[in-house]
Amino acid sequence: MNRFMLTEARLWLDKGQKFGAEGHGYMRVNLGCPRSTVDEALSRLADAIAWR
């Protein structure tokens, strides 16, 4: 999953387990940024999934 996010979606997410046992198996994204940055990230993710 990490490789897909980096190479295909061009996104850097943190592994959820970094934030405790409850986060194991999840990826975390920081939403403390401008809305335009979130929109761009979601667009990249949607495009990468569509091309898969």
Side-chain angles (χ1 to χ4, degrees):
M1 175 61 77
N2 201 25
R3 185 177 159 279
F4 170 79
M5 289 297 200
L6 284 173
T7 62
E8 295 184 43
R10 300 179 340 264
L11 296 172
W12 179 276
L13 302 179
D14 288 315
K15 293 180 180 178
Q17 65 219 30
K18 178 178 176 179
F19 299 93
E22 299 84 8
H24 184 75
Y26 294 94
M27 303 287 287
R28 295 200 32 144
V29 61
N30 181 354
L31 296 176
C33 58
R35 174 67 185 256
S36 60
T37 302
V38 175
D39 290 342
E40 174 67 22
L42 291 175
S43 179
R44 288 183 190 187
L45 181 58
D47 289 347
I49 290 170
W51 283 99
R52 195 159 225 225

